[in-house]
Amino acid sequence: MTFIIQWFGKRQNGGQEVKSVLNIVLVEPEIPQNTGNISRTCAVTGAALHIIRPTGFEISDRTLKRAGLDYWDKLDVYYYDSYADFLDKVGPDAPLFFFSSKGKRCYTEAEYPDGAYIVFGCETRGLPAELIEENIHRTYRLPMRETLRCLNLSNAVAIVTYEVLRSWGFEGLV
């Protein structure tokens, strides 16, 4: 795992500035296969993965291999003991974007700045209601048929990730 000190939109690695980074945040993920798919999305796009505990699975070499996380060593991953710990580490001015079926605006309406943090809830409960209420002005949804509950977490993350990267001109990707 690579340890990189991260600022809003710029990464420093050995004193050298690196391209803008997208941050994918999973709040209490429950299914290791979804986290595995998301880690692969992070690895191939250069996004950093932020995991907020508790998780519904053990994070160990054995469980990661079983979940297909063979790209784990090719991404920047950060762990937090709680959402409060995450906020403390990223700071009060972090550009946070929340995703929920309860969002009022479509994910394509957002303007994602460099260093954006796209935040997703766990598979069975989504984001906590109070978090959505406090951040409704920056909570977005993916369009779906009205009668269906939600899209798979790893699919939702991939869709939003590529929308952000598209808006950035796919910087650094071929």
Side-chain angles (χ1 to χ4, degrees):
M1 170 180 356
T2 305
F3 291 96
I4 295 176
I5 300 171
Q6 202 164 330
W7 285 273
F8 305 107
K10 303 290 183 203
R11 294 190 295 174
Q12 298 271 333
N13 190 358
Q16 191 173 39
E17 195 171 281
V18 183
K19 75 175 189 77
S20 299
V21 67
L22 175 60
N23 297 281
I24 296 172
V25 182
L26 303 180
V27 179
E28 301 179 6
E30 299 170 321
I31 302 172
Q33 291 82 358
N34 281 336
T35 302
N37 288 340
I38 293 164
S39 72
R40 185 176 291 259
T41 297
C42 290
V44 302
T45 62
L49 178 60
H50 301 259
I51 297 176
I52 298 174
R53 295 180 179 112
T55 62
F57 52 90
E58 181 183 332
I59 298 177
S60 69
D61 286 342
R62 193 173 129 249
T63 58
L64 294 176
K65 286 178 185 165
R66 189 164 16 111
L69 304 180
D70 58 333
Y71 280 21
W72 205 251
D73 64 332
K74 303 197 177 23
L75 66 126
D76 300 324
V77 62
Y78 304 88
Y79 299 95
Y80 307 90
D81 291 327
S82 65
Y83 186 75
D85 181 36
F86 165 75
L87 281 182
D88 185 52
K89 299 246 177 21
V90 301
D93 297 324
L96 301 172
F97 295 81
F98 301 89
F99 294 88
S100 168
S101 60
K102 295 167 185 67
K104 302 295 182 209
R105 297 186 294 167
C106 182
Y107 74 104
T108 58
E109 296 176 41
E111 291 185 26
Y112 303 97
D114 289 348
Y117 289 82
I118 57 174
V119 182
F120 298 85
C122 70
E123 293 88 342
T124 59
R125 297 179 314 275
L127 291 169
E130 62 275 4
L131 187 60
I132 293 170
E133 290 168 16
E134 292 169 6
N135 296 284
I136 196 65
H137 62 287
R138 50 186 176 168
T139 300
Y140 297 86
R141 62 178 169 70
L142 280 75
M144 296 178 284
R145 290 172 54 194
E146 191 173 347
T147 59
L148 299 177
R149 190 176 57 239
C150 63
L151 192 60
N152 173 276
L153 177 63
S154 64
N155 291 336
V157 169
I159 289 167
V160 176
T161 296
Y162 274 91
E163 171 60 17
V164 173
L165 296 173
R166 183 206 59 78
S167 75
W168 292 353
F170 295 108
E171 178 186 352
L173 301 177
V174 293

